[in-house]
Amino acid sequence: MVVIVTGANGQLGQAIQSIADQYPSIDFVFCSSSELDITSSVSCEAAFTKYKPDFCINTAAYTAVDKAETDVEKARLVNVIGAKNLAESCKQNNTVLLHISTDFVFDGIVATSGSKGYRETDAPNPQGVYGQTKLEGEQAIQAILEKYFIIRTSWVYSQFGANFMKTMLRLAQEKDSISVVNDQIGTPTNAVDLAECLLKIINTQILTPNTQHLFGIYNFSNEGQCSWYEFAVEIFKQYQLSVNVNPIPSSAYPTPAKRPAYSVLDKSKIKTVFEITISNWQKHIKK
Ligand SMILES: NC(=O)c1ccc[n+]([C@@H]2O[C@H](COP(=O)([O-])OP(=O)(O)OC[C@H]3O[C@@H](n4cnc5c(N)ncnc54)[C@H](OP(=O)(O)O)[C@@H]3O)[C@@H](O)[C@H]2O)c1
């Protein structure tokens, strides 16, 4: 069973690499952006012809949320055309695509589904270029493919790449006091937990015949919810760092891209369909 992973040097790509040896029945092909440029259909087709993957995990994306506001063309090229190219290669090669999307497809104004958060069926309404291009990428895949999983996630952190947790740990070395917004509510996602979830989906596909009806959109994050302020406080608590953290409103920390004020994702569907148990967001901070 061959699984090709795009964007392999990114945060999630490295998280998948870190657990790959726990899946000896899978031949992983990890491709960095220089080995497989998803914005090039020729590059995609060459990789698919060479490796003949049964599954493709697309972790490649334009993820610079604020920069995307002015770098619209590049964001669209990677997040929309890139997703489209991969979907076309998947279709031609009968490959199942697992594509990662984001809570930023939602506006965060009203979660129609109540206290558990946004459901997969709730109407997206992105607030910025990043969210808009990620949504268009989802739509491009759905227009081309039947055999896809789109997994929306949020607030991904790990020991790999650039992320909020690593920024907080760095700031703790540089400052005695920091300010963090407390009016954006979501759920942190440990990248290794997400990687394990993706491989569980693939294993289910391998082991269980006739799972065509399972394709579609799923949410995955850790359980629970918090503000960025609460996330920072918990990181410092678990790492036993004494830093004074001040809660501030988003208005005191303006950013080029508007973020959803509320983007908790309801995981009922993925937990039921794939029998996944998800840890609370505090549990794996030091994993
Ligand atoms: N991080 C989060 O908080 C978060 C939240 C929700 C959803 N997501 C989604 O989760 C997925 C993984 O995110 P991440 O945190 O792992 O992002 P990341 O660390 O920024 O990694 C993205 C990777 O994509 C690669 N890439 C960019 N353009 C490419 C291209 N044209 N062809 C091939 N690869 C290309 C980058 O390679 P180079 O560095 O070589 O350009 C990088 O390795 C993305 O789909 C993202 O939208 C992330």
Short mmCIF file of all heavy atoms in Angstrom, two decimals, residues 103-111 118 125-128 155 181-187 225-230 249-251 255 257-265:
data_model
loop_
_atom_site.label_atom_id
_atom_site.label_comp_id
_atom_site.label_asym_id
_atom_site.label_seq_id
_atom_site.Cartn_x
_atom_site.Cartn_y
_atom_site.Cartn_z
N ASP A 103 -10.62 25.35 9.86
CA ASP A 103 -11.73 26.02 10.54
C ASP A 103 -11.96 27.43 9.99
O ASP A 103 -13.02 28.02 10.19
CB ASP A 103 -11.46 26.10 12.05
CG ASP A 103 -10.14 26.78 12.39
OD1 ASP A 103 -9.21 26.73 11.56
OD2 ASP A 103 -10.03 27.37 13.48
N PHE A 104 -10.95 27.98 9.27
CA PHE A 104 -11.07 29.34 8.73
C PHE A 104 -12.06 29.42 7.56
O PHE A 104 -12.27 30.49 7.01
CB PHE A 104 -9.71 29.89 8.31
CG PHE A 104 -8.91 30.47 9.47
CD1 PHE A 104 -9.00 29.92 10.73
CD2 PHE A 104 -8.08 31.56 9.29
CE1 PHE A 104 -8.27 30.43 11.80
CE2 PHE A 104 -7.35 32.09 10.34
CZ PHE A 104 -7.44 31.53 11.60
N VAL A 105 -12.66 28.29 7.17
CA VAL A 105 -13.73 28.37 6.17
C VAL A 105 -15.00 28.94 6.82
O VAL A 105 -15.92 29.35 6.12
CB VAL A 105 -14.06 27.01 5.49
CG1 VAL A 105 -12.86 26.46 4.77
CG2 VAL A 105 -14.61 26.00 6.49
N PHE A 106 -15.05 28.98 8.15
CA PHE A 106 -16.23 29.50 8.85
C PHE A 106 -16.01 30.95 9.30
O PHE A 106 -14.87 31.36 9.53
CB PHE A 106 -16.55 28.63 10.06
CG PHE A 106 -16.96 27.23 9.69
CD1 PHE A 106 -16.17 26.14 10.06
CD2 PHE A 106 -18.10 26.99 8.95
CE1 PHE A 106 -16.53 24.85 9.70
CE2 PHE A 106 -18.47 25.70 8.58
CZ PHE A 106 -17.68 24.63 8.96
N ASP A 107 -17.12 31.68 9.46
CA ASP A 107 -16.98 33.08 9.87
C ASP A 107 -16.89 33.26 11.38
O ASP A 107 -16.48 34.31 11.86
CB ASP A 107 -18.11 33.95 9.28
CG ASP A 107 -19.50 33.46 9.65
OD1 ASP A 107 -19.64 32.75 10.66
OD2 ASP A 107 -20.45 33.79 8.92
N GLY A 108 -17.30 32.24 12.13
CA GLY A 108 -17.19 32.32 13.59
C GLY A 108 -18.24 33.20 14.23
O GLY A 108 -18.19 33.46 15.43
N ILE A 109 -19.20 33.63 13.42
CA ILE A 109 -20.20 34.53 13.98
C ILE A 109 -21.30 33.73 14.69
O ILE A 109 -21.63 33.98 15.83
CB ILE A 109 -20.79 35.44 12.87
CG1 ILE A 109 -19.68 36.35 12.34
CG2 ILE A 109 -21.96 36.26 13.40
CD1 ILE A 109 -20.02 37.05 11.05
N VAL A 110 -21.81 32.74 14.00
CA VAL A 110 -22.85 31.91 14.61
C VAL A 110 -22.51 30.45 14.34
O VAL A 110 -22.33 30.04 13.21
CB VAL A 110 -24.24 32.21 13.97
CG1 VAL A 110 -25.30 31.35 14.63
CG2 VAL A 110 -24.59 33.67 14.10
N ALA A 111 -22.40 29.68 15.39
CA ALA A 111 -22.27 28.23 15.22
C ALA A 111 -23.67 27.66 15.33
O ALA A 111 -24.24 27.60 16.39
CB ALA A 111 -21.36 27.64 16.29
N TYR A 118 -19.01 23.82 15.10
CA TYR A 118 -19.42 23.74 13.70
C TYR A 118 -19.46 22.30 13.23
O TYR A 118 -18.52 21.54 13.43
CB TYR A 118 -18.44 24.50 12.81
CG TYR A 118 -18.66 25.99 12.80
CD1 TYR A 118 -17.84 26.83 13.54
CD2 TYR A 118 -19.69 26.55 12.06
CE1 TYR A 118 -18.04 28.20 13.53
CE2 TYR A 118 -19.90 27.92 12.05
CZ TYR A 118 -19.07 28.74 12.78
OH TYR A 118 -19.28 30.09 12.77
N ASN A 125 -18.32 30.45 5.42
CA ASN A 125 -18.33 31.87 5.05
C ASN A 125 -16.98 32.47 5.45
O ASN A 125 -16.87 33.17 6.46
CB ASN A 125 -19.49 32.60 5.75
CG ASN A 125 -19.56 34.05 5.33
OD1 ASN A 125 -19.14 34.42 4.23
ND2 ASN A 125 -20.06 34.90 6.22
N PRO A 126 -15.94 32.17 4.64
CA PRO A 126 -14.59 32.59 5.05
C PRO A 126 -14.47 34.10 5.17
O PRO A 126 -15.11 34.84 4.43
CB PRO A 126 -13.69 32.07 3.92
CG PRO A 126 -14.55 31.30 3.00
CD PRO A 126 -15.98 31.51 3.35
N GLN A 127 -13.61 34.52 6.10
CA GLN A 127 -13.45 35.94 6.38
C GLN A 127 -12.20 36.53 5.72
O GLN A 127 -12.00 37.74 5.77
CB GLN A 127 -13.37 36.16 7.89
CG GLN A 127 -14.62 35.75 8.62
CD GLN A 127 -15.79 36.64 8.24
OE1 GLN A 127 -15.86 37.78 8.66
NE2 GLN A 127 -16.69 36.12 7.42
N GLY A 128 -11.36 35.68 5.15
CA GLY A 128 -10.12 36.19 4.56
C GLY A 128 -9.70 35.35 3.37
O GLY A 128 -10.35 34.35 3.03
N TRP A 155 -5.97 25.25 14.63
CA TRP A 155 -4.96 25.60 15.63
C TRP A 155 -3.91 24.49 15.80
O TRP A 155 -3.66 24.01 16.92
CB TRP A 155 -5.61 25.89 16.98
CG TRP A 155 -6.58 27.03 17.02
CD1 TRP A 155 -7.27 27.59 16.00
CD2 TRP A 155 -6.98 27.75 18.20
NE1 TRP A 155 -8.07 28.61 16.45
CE2 TRP A 155 -7.92 28.73 17.80
CE3 TRP A 155 -6.67 27.66 19.55
CZ2 TRP A 155 -8.52 29.61 18.69
CZ3 TRP A 155 -7.27 28.54 20.45
CH2 TRP A 155 -8.19 29.50 20.01
N VAL A 181 -4.54 37.27 22.89
CA VAL A 181 -5.97 37.56 22.72
C VAL A 181 -6.84 36.51 23.42
O VAL A 181 -6.54 35.32 23.42
CB VAL A 181 -6.39 37.68 21.23
CG1 VAL A 181 -5.69 38.85 20.56
CG2 VAL A 181 -6.14 36.40 20.47
N ASN A 182 -7.91 37.00 24.03
CA ASN A 182 -8.78 36.08 24.79
C ASN A 182 -10.21 36.05 24.26
O ASN A 182 -11.10 35.51 24.90
CB ASN A 182 -8.78 36.46 26.28
CG ASN A 182 -9.54 37.75 26.55
OD1 ASN A 182 -9.75 38.53 25.62
ND2 ASN A 182 -9.92 37.97 27.79
N ASP A 183 -10.43 36.65 23.07
CA ASP A 183 -11.79 36.66 22.53
C ASP A 183 -11.91 35.89 21.22
O ASP A 183 -12.86 36.06 20.47
CB ASP A 183 -12.30 38.10 22.37
CG ASP A 183 -11.39 38.95 21.48
OD1 ASP A 183 -10.35 38.42 21.02
OD2 ASP A 183 -11.71 40.13 21.26
N GLN A 184 -10.93 35.05 20.94
CA GLN A 184 -11.06 34.09 19.82
C GLN A 184 -11.06 32.70 20.46
O GLN A 184 -10.11 32.33 21.15
CB GLN A 184 -9.90 34.19 18.84
CG GLN A 184 -9.92 35.47 18.00
CD GLN A 184 -8.64 35.64 17.20
OE1 GLN A 184 -7.98 34.68 16.80
NE2 GLN A 184 -8.26 36.88 16.98
N ILE A 185 -12.13 31.96 20.20
CA ILE A 185 -12.32 30.66 20.85
C ILE A 185 -12.22 29.56 19.79
O ILE A 185 -12.86 29.64 18.74
CB ILE A 185 -13.71 30.58 21.54
CG1 ILE A 185 -13.91 31.77 22.49
CG2 ILE A 185 -13.88 29.24 22.25
CD1 ILE A 185 -12.94 31.85 23.64
N GLY A 186 -11.41 28.55 20.08
CA GLY A 186 -11.26 27.42 19.16
C GLY A 186 -10.72 26.23 19.91
O GLY A 186 -10.83 26.16 21.13
N THR A 187 -10.09 25.31 19.17
CA THR A 187 -9.50 24.14 19.82
C THR A 187 -8.13 23.85 19.23
O THR A 187 -8.01 23.65 18.01
CB THR A 187 -10.38 22.88 19.66
OG1 THR A 187 -11.73 23.22 19.96
CG2 THR A 187 -9.91 21.79 20.60
N GLN A 225 -12.42 23.32 24.30
CA GLN A 225 -12.24 24.62 23.65
C GLN A 225 -11.53 25.57 24.59
O GLN A 225 -11.50 25.36 25.81
CB GLN A 225 -13.59 25.21 23.24
CG GLN A 225 -14.53 25.52 24.40
CD GLN A 225 -15.81 26.17 23.93
OE1 GLN A 225 -16.54 25.61 23.11
NE2 GLN A 225 -16.09 27.36 24.42
N CYS A 226 -10.92 26.60 24.03
CA CYS A 226 -10.21 27.59 24.84
C CYS A 226 -9.99 28.84 23.99
O CYS A 226 -10.21 28.82 22.77
CB CYS A 226 -8.86 27.03 25.31
SG CYS A 226 -7.70 26.63 23.99
N SER A 227 -9.50 29.87 24.62
CA SER A 227 -9.04 31.04 23.87
C SER A 227 -7.54 30.91 23.67
O SER A 227 -6.88 30.08 24.32
CB SER A 227 -9.34 32.32 24.66
OG SER A 227 -8.54 32.34 25.84
N TRP A 228 -6.97 31.73 22.79
CA TRP A 228 -5.51 31.71 22.61
C TRP A 228 -4.82 32.03 23.94
O TRP A 228 -3.76 31.48 24.27
CB TRP A 228 -5.08 32.72 21.54
CG TRP A 228 -5.45 32.32 20.13
CD1 TRP A 228 -6.40 32.91 19.35
CD2 TRP A 228 -4.88 31.27 19.34
NE1 TRP A 228 -6.46 32.26 18.12
CE2 TRP A 228 -5.54 31.27 18.10
CE3 TRP A 228 -3.88 30.32 19.58
CZ2 TRP A 228 -5.22 30.37 17.07
CZ3 TRP A 228 -3.57 29.41 18.57
CH2 TRP A 228 -4.24 29.45 17.34
N TYR A 229 -5.44 32.94 24.72
CA TYR A 229 -4.90 33.29 26.04
C TYR A 229 -4.83 32.05 26.93
O TYR A 229 -3.79 31.76 27.55
CB TYR A 229 -5.78 34.38 26.67
CG TYR A 229 -5.58 34.55 28.15
CD1 TYR A 229 -4.49 35.22 28.67
CD2 TYR A 229 -6.52 34.00 29.05
CE1 TYR A 229 -4.30 35.35 30.04
CE2 TYR A 229 -6.34 34.13 30.41
CZ TYR A 229 -5.23 34.80 30.91
OH TYR A 229 -5.05 34.91 32.26
N GLU A 230 -5.93 31.29 26.97
CA GLU A 230 -5.95 30.08 27.82
C GLU A 230 -4.97 29.03 27.32
O GLU A 230 -4.35 28.31 28.11
CB GLU A 230 -7.38 29.50 27.86
CG GLU A 230 -8.34 30.37 28.64
CD GLU A 230 -9.80 29.97 28.43
OE1 GLU A 230 -10.20 29.69 27.27
OE2 GLU A 230 -10.55 29.97 29.40
N PRO A 249 -8.16 41.96 24.08
CA PRO A 249 -9.12 41.73 23.00
C PRO A 249 -8.40 41.75 21.64
O PRO A 249 -7.32 42.35 21.52
CB PRO A 249 -10.07 42.92 23.12
CG PRO A 249 -9.26 43.98 23.78
CD PRO A 249 -8.25 43.30 24.66
N SER A 250 -9.00 41.12 20.65
CA SER A 250 -8.41 41.11 19.30
C SER A 250 -8.19 42.53 18.78
O SER A 250 -7.26 42.78 18.01
CB SER A 250 -9.31 40.36 18.32
OG SER A 250 -9.50 39.05 18.74
N SER A 251 -9.05 43.46 19.21
CA SER A 251 -8.92 44.85 18.75
C SER A 251 -7.58 45.46 19.17
O SER A 251 -7.11 46.40 18.54
CB SER A 251 -10.08 45.69 19.27
OG SER A 251 -10.13 45.59 20.68
N THR A 255 -4.63 42.40 13.02
CA THR A 255 -3.91 41.60 12.03
C THR A 255 -4.52 41.86 10.66
O THR A 255 -5.72 42.18 10.57
CB THR A 255 -4.02 40.09 12.35
OG1 THR A 255 -5.40 39.75 12.51
CG2 THR A 255 -3.25 39.72 13.60
N ALA A 257 -5.47 39.79 8.37
CA ALA A 257 -6.59 38.88 8.10
C ALA A 257 -7.48 38.79 9.33
O ALA A 257 -7.00 38.66 10.46
CB ALA A 257 -6.07 37.48 7.76
N LYS A 258 -8.80 38.85 9.08
CA LYS A 258 -9.77 38.69 10.16
C LYS A 258 -9.85 37.21 10.53
O LYS A 258 -9.90 36.36 9.64
CB LYS A 258 -11.12 39.20 9.66
CG LYS A 258 -12.09 39.51 10.76
CD LYS A 258 -13.34 40.17 10.17
CE LYS A 258 -14.43 40.12 11.23
NZ LYS A 258 -15.75 40.18 10.66
N ARG A 259 -9.83 36.90 11.81
CA ARG A 259 -9.96 35.51 12.27
C ARG A 259 -11.38 35.25 12.79
O ARG A 259 -11.99 36.17 13.37
CB ARG A 259 -9.01 35.24 13.43
CG ARG A 259 -7.66 34.70 13.03
CD ARG A 259 -6.64 35.79 12.86
NE ARG A 259 -5.30 35.25 12.66
CZ ARG A 259 -4.39 35.75 11.86
NH1 ARG A 259 -4.66 36.82 11.14
NH2 ARG A 259 -3.20 35.20 11.75
N PRO A 260 -11.86 34.01 12.64
CA PRO A 260 -13.18 33.72 13.23
C PRO A 260 -13.12 33.84 14.75
O PRO A 260 -12.18 33.35 15.38
CB PRO A 260 -13.47 32.28 12.80
CG PRO A 260 -12.21 31.72 12.25
CD PRO A 260 -11.29 32.86 11.93
N ALA A 261 -14.11 34.49 15.35
CA ALA A 261 -14.13 34.66 16.80
C ALA A 261 -14.41 33.32 17.50
O ALA A 261 -14.04 33.12 18.64
CB ALA A 261 -15.18 35.68 17.20
N TYR A 262 -15.08 32.43 16.76
CA TYR A 262 -15.43 31.12 17.33
C TYR A 262 -15.26 30.08 16.22
O TYR A 262 -15.88 30.21 15.16
CB TYR A 262 -16.88 31.14 17.82
CG TYR A 262 -17.36 29.81 18.34
CD1 TYR A 262 -17.23 29.47 19.68
CD2 TYR A 262 -17.95 28.87 17.49
CE1 TYR A 262 -17.67 28.24 20.16
CE2 TYR A 262 -18.38 27.64 17.95
CZ TYR A 262 -18.25 27.33 19.29
OH TYR A 262 -18.68 26.11 19.76
N SER A 263 -14.41 29.09 16.43
CA SER A 263 -14.23 28.09 15.37
C SER A 263 -14.05 26.68 15.93
O SER A 263 -13.30 25.88 15.40
CB SER A 263 -13.03 28.46 14.48
OG SER A 263 -11.83 28.37 15.23
N VAL A 264 -14.78 26.40 17.00
CA VAL A 264 -14.75 25.04 17.55
C VAL A 264 -15.43 24.11 16.54
O VAL A 264 -16.45 24.47 15.94
CB VAL A 264 -15.49 25.00 18.91
CG1 VAL A 264 -15.57 23.56 19.45
CG2 VAL A 264 -14.81 25.92 19.91
N LEU A 265 -14.83 22.94 16.33
CA LEU A 265 -15.36 21.99 15.36
C LEU A 265 -16.03 20.81 16.09
O LEU A 265 -15.46 20.27 17.04
CB LEU A 265 -14.23 21.46 14.46
CG LEU A 265 -13.48 22.52 13.64
CD1 LEU A 265 -12.25 21.91 12.98
CD2 LEU A 265 -14.40 23.15 12.59
#
